[in-house]
Every structure is written in structure tokens, then in C-alpha cells.
Amino acid sequence: MVEPLLRGRFGRPYLWSESCSSTQDVLRDDTLPEGAVALTEHQTAGRGRAGRQWQDERGTALLLSVLLRPPSPAEVAQLSLVCALAVAETVERATGLDAGVKWPNDVLVSGRKVAGILLDGRDGAVVCGIGLNVNQTERALPADARTPAASLRTLTGRELDRAATLLALLEGLEARYDAWLGGGLASLLPELERRNALRGRQVSVGETIGTAAGIALDGRLRIRSADGAETLVASGEISYP
């Protein structure tokens, strides 16, 4: 049982299922309070960024969504970075390895993707979907992913306690979310930049090509062209060598 072990307000209520279409769908309920969490052992229609399917092996990953009700809808896109930071910190504590945040919503270790975040905003609420690869074997990971995939198990050579990892993640996410509420993204930017997996790399987003120069205070990616001009990118598919 996870709920009796919770140390904060996130995870109340804790809606567990053996299987569901998507944990995002479970939280489509206007009566649920902020901090409600839906977690499942397997998603039959899990979604990734840009409509891609999120693949999982039953009982090995952390597949969850967290319901948030931020006061400023104009800034909700920043929550993908807030969540990514919390996930990266959880990965680091669980494995002892450095984790990077790949703008805007992925967590990487040694260039391999271990987690992704998907935001679903509606009617003043934001559902933050998180998929974290924990105990998959190499065979169970997608071989055709745009970014090579890894799990905490393949990186460390050992199985991890998923319940303990979940508890640490919810506690860390609550702390980072509260910091964001109090001080905006500026309060988290130093830790995000320290883990910025794109900084200094040649990237392209649509027609914009240049060097990733950092994350702006509003969460947009700064891309510097060869002539020194900077473009701020709010969203899009990132490509890099």
C-alpha cells in the first residue's frame, strides 16, 4: 500500500489500477482535488508527445498522472520543466547517476531517455502525465525510439523498489511545484540549467537552427544562430546530431 506512506498532499486520493487506457483519462473528473494521482501497471493507450504511443511492459515502469490546478493558466507550459526537474532529481537519488533534462519534457541519463512528461490542460486544471522506466530489461525497451531508451535497471544493473521511487517522486514534485508557485520558473532555473541536456548543442526546431543557449525565464528555449541572433522557441520537435 502506497497511500499510508505518503508524506505530503500529492497522492490524495491515490487511484491505482491494474490496467487502464491512460492515467490521463482517469483524472478527467472535475471533483478531484489538486494532488490527486492516478497510477497503473499497464496502459492500453498510453500517449507520448506529438501523439506517439507510449510503450510499456506491465508492472515494470511508473506510469502516473498528477492533477494540478495552477492559478495562472498562461504559464502552465512551464510545468513540463517543473516535472522533468523533479523526475531528474528522483532518478539521481535512486541511481547515483547524473540525469539531464532535455527541453521541454524528457529526462535522459547518458544520452538515453528514461522518462517523459505529457501535459494535458483543460478548464483551469493541468494533468501531468509521467512515464518513468524503472525495471524494464533491455529487451523490453523500444528499439526504434527517436532517442535511445534506458531504464533505471539497465543503467544500474539492479532492480529498484518502484514504491519507494514513487514516494520520492511525489515528494520531490510537490516541493518543486510549490517553489514554482512561489517564485516562478526563475526559482528553479539554476537547477534546470545544471541539468540542461541541450545546452551548447546544435539543434533545429522547425525552421530555427542554431546552438541551444539555455532556457529563458518563461520556459522557452533560447537558440542562438551563427550570426549571434537569438530566437525563443515555445514548442516543437527538437532535432540534434
Side-chain angles (χ1 to χ4, degrees):
M1 294 292 291
V2 168
E3 197 161 5
L5 302 176
L6 293 169
R7 296 180 286 265
R9 71 185 188 279
F10 279 20
R12 306 175 192 277
Y14 176 70
L15 307 173
W16 178 90
S17 65
E18 182 67 37
S19 177
C20 71
S21 59
S22 168
T23 56
Q24 302 280 85
D25 298 334
V26 175
L27 297 184
R28 292 179 184 276
D29 182 343
D30 293 339
T31 67
L32 289 171
E34 180 173 77
V37 168
L39 182 140
T40 191
E41 300 301 313
H42 172 62
Q43 293 184 133
T44 59
R47 301 187 298 276
R49 187 171 172 82
R52 298 187 187 92
Q53 183 179 11
W54 180 274
Q55 301 177 35
D56 70 80
E57 183 180 60
R58 185 183 298 271
T60 58
L62 285 178
L63 307 170
L64 67 144
S65 292
V66 183
L67 179 63
L68 303 176
R69 299 188 183 279
S72 177
E75 298 173 347
V76 296
Q78 298 175 11
L79 287 173
S80 63
L81 291 169
V82 177
C83 289
L85 176 59
V87 172
E89 292 172 328
T90 301
V91 168
E92 290 173 344
R93 287 192 293 269
T95 66
L97 303 172
D98 292 334
V101 173
K102 176 178 169 283
W103 184 94
N105 64 337
D106 289 342
V107 176
L108 311 181
V109 176
S110 299
R112 300 175 73 88
K113 180 176 174 178
V114 297
I117 289 92
L118 181 67
L119 300 186
D120 181 10
R122 55 183 181 275
D123 299 327
V126 180
V127 178
C128 295
I130 301 171
L132 173 59
N133 296 333
V134 182
N135 285 330
Q136 293 100 315
T137 62
E138 192 72 46
R139 175 189 58 80
L141 294 168
D144 57 350
R146 293 178 71 248
T147 301
S151 71
L152 306 191
R153 178 179 179 178
T154 62
L155 291 166
T156 62
R158 59 183 173 85
E159 288 196 33
L160 280 79
D161 185 326
R162 286 192 304 141
T165 305
L166 172 64
L167 290 168
L169 172 57
L170 293 179
E171 186 174 16
L173 177 56
E174 182 177 333
R176 288 310 193 181
Y177 176 66
D178 287 347
W180 177 78
L181 288 176
L185 199 63
S187 64
L188 307 180
L189 210 53
E191 291 301 318
L192 279 168
E193 284 292 5
R194 188 166 71 82
R195 296 172 175 83
N196 188 345
L198 293 180
R199 190 178 182 89
R201 301 192 66 156
Q202 286 294 116
V203 300
S204 63
V205 185
E207 299 299 316
T208 303
I209 301 173
T211 302
I215 299 169
L217 286 173
D218 61 2
R220 290 183 292 177
L221 181 66
R222 297 165 46 221
I223 298 180
R224 184 176 296 125
S225 65
D227 63 5
E230 277 197 5
T231 301
L232 295 176
V233 177
S235 63
E237 287 291 315
I238 292 281
S239 297
Y240 57 91

